Amino acid sequence: MDSRRDFLQKLTLGIGATALTDLPATARELYSGPKADKQLRVAIMGLGSYGTRVAEAMKDCKMATLVGAVSGTPAKLEDWKKKYNIPAKNTYNYETVSKIKDNPDIDLVYITTPNSLHYKHVLQIAAAGKHVLCEKPVADNAKQTREMIAVCEKAGVKFYIGYRMHFEPHTRELIRMREAGELGKIMHVNNYMGFKSGDPNQWRLKKALAGGGAMMDVGIYALNGARYATGEEPIWVTAQETKTDPVKFKEVDETIMFQLGFPSGVVASCGTTYNFNNYERLYVIGEKGFVELSPAFSYGPIKGRTHNGPMNQPVITHQTLQMDGIADIILNNKPDPNVSGAEGLKDMIVVDALYESIRKGGAKIMLAGK
Ligand code: NAD
């Protein structure tokens, strides 16, 4: 196997990150070979800004092909047919989408609709017998997520979350270093992710479509990152909310600081906001070393340093890696790097507890039995 194929295979598996430093750092170079024989055939549901980003990134995929689209806007479907060479028979609207079950040319539907529609859309796609990849946050709460997992299991379809960082090379290297013991016993984590929210009329500020505010949208990265930085599951949480603009953020949270307590005694100190920019970092420190990623969760390029110096992982479009990674997992029956519905549930249990803590004035919420 040549080094590029070897690289891709290791990357999609989420292993072998040490070899990456020797490789050229551009996506085009790394992705310049032919497409694989087997392809995961993907339809995107919700042709908004993220759906479009995924469609563009999939042009470079080796194992996944965009073949279908679901939208309530006929003009968007027309546009996508031309732009991405999608046949008319693979296009649906939200009323006809259940007919996708009769379409043998689509394997998986990637749901990129607003947060609070994920629950309904995942159930619809599972009922149609197609594998599901659903954007974050998986749902509004843990209760919905449990139901989504059960329905997918019963339907015999795979259910993954668009946790793209788990395919990103710097993040993979951080996880590898922690698992290899290179950081020693983990002592502390400090993660944050936020930005200044713009348009006051966007769905992200409406509870019925967003489920919540900054926490649901991007705080989830800090939380998920604390779990992969420690390799542990939190046992308690505390959270505090501040709101400087109660008009704009009438329905959803603006800024939340939260703390996660882990069984080893590590406390992760985290934050999220819709109120200011340049707030993005993952920092994990152990007895033997540290990793700092900043930017850590956005499209990047992700940059990092460790106790050994600057990190030198390749910069590759996250959505390209994610889609090839998901294709490899499904087509070749590989283990997934913690992006299953069950992982989404672990995060939603914590999110529920964070909101509960805020409602109770910052009370410590124990997670056992949640
Ligand atoms: P968007 O508003 O640009 O796109 C949402 C799409 O859903 C639009 O095409 C819209 O027409 C469609 N839609 C269907 N029913 C709708 C309804 N009832 N109300 C409003 N829109 C409806 O939003 P986006 O930024 O693309 O976000 C979509 C999802 O992708 C969200 O869950 C978000 O969290 C996620 N996302 C993930 C990332 C990431 O990096 N993983 C980045 C951005 C967004």
Side-chain angles (χ1 to χ4, degrees), residues 45-53 71-73 76 94 110-118 121 135-137 162-164 203-204 209 216-217 221 297 299 319 322:
M45 180 170 189
L47 313 184
S49 97
Y50 198 64
T52 304
R53 184 176 288 275
S71 173
T73 313
K76 278 194 202 166
Y94 294 102
Y110 191 170
I111 295 167
T112 57
T113 51
N115 307 347
S116 298
L117 304 177
H118 294 172
H121 290 156
E135 251 321 304
K136 44 61 47 182
Y163 283 153
R164 60 184 160 73
W203 65 258
R204 281 185 167 78
L209 281 171
M216 281 287 189
D217 191 11
Y221 286 102
F297 308 113
Y299 308 136
Q319 294 80 8
Q322 173 190 276

